[in-house]
mmCIF file of all heavy atoms in Angstrom:
data_model
loop_
_atom_site.group_PDB
_atom_site.id
_atom_site.type_symbol
_atom_site.label_atom_id
_atom_site.label_comp_id
_atom_site.label_asym_id
_atom_site.label_seq_id
_atom_site.Cartn_x
_atom_site.Cartn_y
_atom_site.Cartn_z
ATOM 1 N N TRP A 40 111.808 121.757 109.926
ATOM 2 C CA TRP A 40 111.230 122.665 109.049
ATOM 3 C C TRP A 40 112.260 123.422 108.160
ATOM 4 O O TRP A 40 113.216 123.994 108.771
ATOM 5 C CB TRP A 40 110.367 123.700 109.718
ATOM 6 C CG TRP A 40 109.302 123.111 110.603
ATOM 7 C CD1 TRP A 40 109.082 123.026 111.876
ATOM 8 C CD2 TRP A 40 108.103 122.382 109.939
ATOM 9 N NE1 TRP A 40 107.841 122.454 112.184
ATOM 10 C CE2 TRP A 40 107.263 122.064 111.022
ATOM 11 C CE3 TRP A 40 107.631 122.016 108.725
ATOM 12 C CZ2 TRP A 40 106.161 121.357 110.838
ATOM 13 C CZ3 TRP A 40 106.472 121.346 108.526
ATOM 14 C CH2 TRP A 40 105.779 121.007 109.611
ATOM 15 N N GLY A 41 112.125 123.347 106.881
ATOM 16 C CA GLY A 41 112.773 124.166 105.918
ATOM 17 C C GLY A 41 111.723 125.316 105.553
ATOM 18 O O GLY A 41 110.558 124.989 105.253
ATOM 19 N N TYR A 42 112.171 126.504 105.446
ATOM 20 C CA TYR A 42 111.247 127.590 105.133
ATOM 21 C C TYR A 42 111.469 128.033 103.675
ATOM 22 O O TYR A 42 112.585 128.246 103.350
ATOM 23 C CB TYR A 42 111.373 128.718 106.142
ATOM 24 C CG TYR A 42 111.187 128.307 107.510
ATOM 25 C CD1 TYR A 42 112.247 128.184 108.467
ATOM 26 C CD2 TYR A 42 109.929 127.879 108.003
ATOM 27 C CE1 TYR A 42 111.976 127.798 109.797
ATOM 28 C CE2 TYR A 42 109.734 127.436 109.307
ATOM 29 C CZ TYR A 42 110.751 127.389 110.102
ATOM 30 O OH TYR A 42 110.475 126.952 111.431
ATOM 31 N N PHE A 43 110.322 128.280 102.979
ATOM 32 C CA PHE A 43 110.397 128.606 101.621
ATOM 33 C C PHE A 43 109.328 129.716 101.271
ATOM 34 O O PHE A 43 108.329 129.812 101.896
ATOM 35 C CB PHE A 43 110.058 127.339 100.827
ATOM 36 C CG PHE A 43 111.072 126.298 100.910
ATOM 37 C CD1 PHE A 43 110.914 125.271 101.922
ATOM 38 C CD2 PHE A 43 112.142 126.179 100.077
ATOM 39 C CE1 PHE A 43 111.851 124.233 101.931
ATOM 40 C CE2 PHE A 43 113.183 125.115 100.224
ATOM 41 C CZ PHE A 43 112.905 124.109 101.166
ATOM 42 N N ASP A 44 109.676 130.399 100.151
ATOM 43 C CA ASP A 44 108.484 131.121 99.449
ATOM 44 C C ASP A 44 107.613 130.130 98.941
ATOM 45 O O ASP A 44 108.049 129.145 98.306
ATOM 46 C CB ASP A 44 109.257 131.957 98.422
ATOM 47 C CG ASP A 44 108.158 132.838 97.748
ATOM 48 O OD1 ASP A 44 107.094 132.412 97.319
ATOM 49 O OD2 ASP A 44 108.478 134.108 97.536
ATOM 50 N N PRO A 45 106.311 130.222 99.141
ATOM 51 C CA PRO A 45 105.398 129.254 98.503
ATOM 52 C C PRO A 45 105.495 129.060 97.078
ATOM 53 O O PRO A 45 105.151 127.966 96.649
ATOM 54 C CB PRO A 45 103.970 129.877 99.002
ATOM 55 C CG PRO A 45 104.156 130.637 100.188
ATOM 56 C CD PRO A 45 105.593 131.277 99.859
ATOM 57 N N ALA A 46 105.988 130.042 96.315
ATOM 58 C CA ALA A 46 106.144 129.880 94.969
ATOM 59 C C ALA A 46 107.274 128.882 94.624
ATOM 60 O O ALA A 46 107.296 128.369 93.436
ATOM 61 C CB ALA A 46 106.459 131.254 94.289
ATOM 62 N N ASP A 47 108.069 128.529 95.533
ATOM 63 C CA ASP A 47 109.240 127.605 95.273
ATOM 64 C C ASP A 47 108.938 126.183 95.806
ATOM 65 O O ASP A 47 109.804 125.272 95.778
ATOM 66 C CB ASP A 47 110.483 128.064 96.183
ATOM 67 C CG ASP A 47 111.100 129.351 95.540
ATOM 68 O OD1 ASP A 47 110.865 129.658 94.443
ATOM 69 O OD2 ASP A 47 111.751 130.104 96.357
ATOM 70 N N VAL A 48 107.659 125.936 96.090
ATOM 71 C CA VAL A 48 107.244 124.610 96.506
ATOM 72 C C VAL A 48 106.054 124.077 95.818
ATOM 73 O O VAL A 48 105.036 124.811 95.514
ATOM 74 C CB VAL A 48 106.758 124.691 98.043
ATOM 75 C CG1 VAL A 48 106.497 123.258 98.570
ATOM 76 C CG2 VAL A 48 108.013 125.148 98.917
ATOM 77 N N THR A 49 106.075 122.835 95.460
ATOM 78 C CA THR A 49 104.858 122.186 94.881
ATOM 79 C C THR A 49 104.557 120.950 95.681
ATOM 80 O O THR A 49 105.509 120.189 96.089
ATOM 81 C CB THR A 49 105.301 121.697 93.377
ATOM 82 O OG1 THR A 49 105.575 122.819 92.620
ATOM 83 C CG2 THR A 49 103.935 121.020 92.789
ATOM 84 N N VAL A 50 103.286 120.907 96.176
ATOM 85 C CA VAL A 50 102.848 119.898 96.913
ATOM 86 C C VAL A 50 101.642 119.147 96.131
ATOM 87 O O VAL A 50 100.700 119.876 95.612
ATOM 88 C CB VAL A 50 102.141 120.322 98.272
ATOM 89 C CG1 VAL A 50 101.592 119.149 99.105
ATOM 90 C CG2 VAL A 50 103.184 121.047 99.075
ATOM 91 N N ASP A 51 101.768 117.848 95.915
ATOM 92 C CA ASP A 51 100.766 117.074 95.160
ATOM 93 C C ASP A 51 100.236 116.085 96.003
ATOM 94 O O ASP A 51 101.043 115.339 96.728
ATOM 95 C CB ASP A 51 101.285 116.506 93.833
ATOM 96 C CG ASP A 51 101.635 117.610 92.841
ATOM 97 O OD1 ASP A 51 100.743 118.389 92.503
ATOM 98 O OD2 ASP A 51 102.828 117.598 92.281
ATOM 99 N N GLY A 52 99.017 115.827 95.976
ATOM 100 C CA GLY A 52 98.274 114.716 96.758
ATOM 101 C C GLY A 52 97.286 115.356 97.633
ATOM 102 O O GLY A 52 97.089 116.524 97.762
ATOM 103 N N ASP A 53 96.446 114.377 98.265
ATOM 104 C CA ASP A 53 95.371 114.803 99.077
ATOM 105 C C ASP A 53 95.710 114.875 100.563
ATOM 106 O O ASP A 53 95.717 113.880 101.315
ATOM 107 C CB ASP A 53 94.206 113.804 98.855
ATOM 108 C CG ASP A 53 92.905 114.180 99.500
ATOM 109 O OD1 ASP A 53 92.687 115.412 99.850
ATOM 110 O OD2 ASP A 53 92.124 113.292 99.807
ATOM 111 N N ALA A 54 96.073 116.044 101.038
ATOM 112 C CA ALA A 54 96.516 116.207 102.406
ATOM 113 C C ALA A 54 95.411 116.614 103.303
ATOM 114 O O ALA A 54 94.406 117.293 102.782
ATOM 115 C CB ALA A 54 97.581 117.310 102.462
#
Side-chain angles (χ1 to χ4, degrees):
W40 298 113
Y42 301 111
F43 297 90
D44 182 310
D47 291 339
V48 179
T49 302
V50 179
D51 290 309
D53 187 23

